[in-house]
Amino acid sequence: MPDTYTTRSGDTWDGIAYREMGSCRHTELLMNANRKHLDTFIFSAGTVLTIPDTEESEIVAALPPWRKTS
């Protein structure tokens, strides 16, 4: 079962991705998992979002070429 996050007033997509998923690079993945909220830029309190699982390959794919080790 996917994790969920209940927003606090003032939360933003990238802030939630950073705190809950470990990196702002996961913002797109977070947004894709919560498409019905795409029109929201700054959340009010109480919105329940799905926090998708991240795979190591997704993290590596998001890195700039000089940071990739494989």
Side-chain angles (χ1 to χ4, degrees), residues 48-68:
V48 178
L49 300 176
T50 299
I51 304 298
D53 291 330
T54 58
E55 305 244 349
E56 184 64 29
S57 61
E58 293 169 340
I59 295 169
V60 172
L63 292 174
W66 61 89
R67 298 277 319 263
K68 295 180 183 177

Side-chain angles (χ1 to χ4, degrees), residues 7 9 13 17 30 32-33 36 41 46 51 66 70:
T7 60
S9 182
W13 289 107
L30 177 63
N32 284 334
K36 70 180 183 177
F41 297 102
I51 304 298
W66 61 89
S70 55

